[in-house]
Amino acid sequence: GRAKEASEILEKRAAVSPADPQIYRWLGDAYDRQNIPQKAWEAYSKAIAVAPANEDNYLALSAHAIEHKNASIARDTLNRGLTQIPTSSKLTLETGLVWALQGDFDQARIAFRQASSLNPNWSLPLLALGITDLQTGKPDSATEVFRQAKQIAPDDYRCYYFHALALNRSQTNQSAVMRSQATEELRHAV
């Protein structure tokens, strides 16, 4: 709750340690909390300039752009990050989220699939893909995606919850067996 004091401390710290991108990300957050978006933008941009191969810097600036309703700048930032770190599953996932926020679910699906292929042991891109399928009326596809996510992350309750939701919404699987399976998935999630 004391963002002004935090920014003053971080400004001093940045003067002493100008090569630490985390300081600039924190400074951007402090400026943003004070409703000084231009200074926040500059701080996040400085983090990128200091460490252009650090995906957290692009994620921070992208999040800032999204919060200020500027999805095209968020996407441009993420694309710049992907030119520096082309195998970043996090930047690719975030790109998909930006597309989804803009309502371009086809582009979102492409990004989510790519993020999943870049990091096959990470269930979050599959969860995002499945949720996109649910949002766009494709529960059968979502069912399969959530089933895959469960295999990757068998201890993640979200995989089971969303699998149950997809099973429940499926038009082709409205049998007592499927309802029972959906109920069991919900129990497992709990």
Side-chain angles (χ1 to χ4, degrees), residues 61-98:
L61 181 55
S62 171
H64 174 72
I66 290 168
E67 288 171 18
H68 291 275
K69 310 288 187 237
N70 207 329
S72 63
I73 288 181
R75 230 182 18 260
D76 290 345
T77 300
L78 294 164
N79 287 334
R80 276 192 306 145
L82 285 166
T83 62
Q84 292 290 323
I85 318 156
T87 59
S88 172
S89 57
K90 289 180 182 179
L91 294 176
T92 305
L93 173 71
E94 190 78 11
T95 301
L97 294 174
V98 174

Side-chain angles (χ1 to χ4, degrees), residues 114-131:
Q114 185 178 7
S116 180
S117 69
L118 288 168
N119 187 350
N121 296 320
W122 190 27
S123 64
L124 194 57
L126 290 175
L127 292 175
L129 177 60
I131 290 168

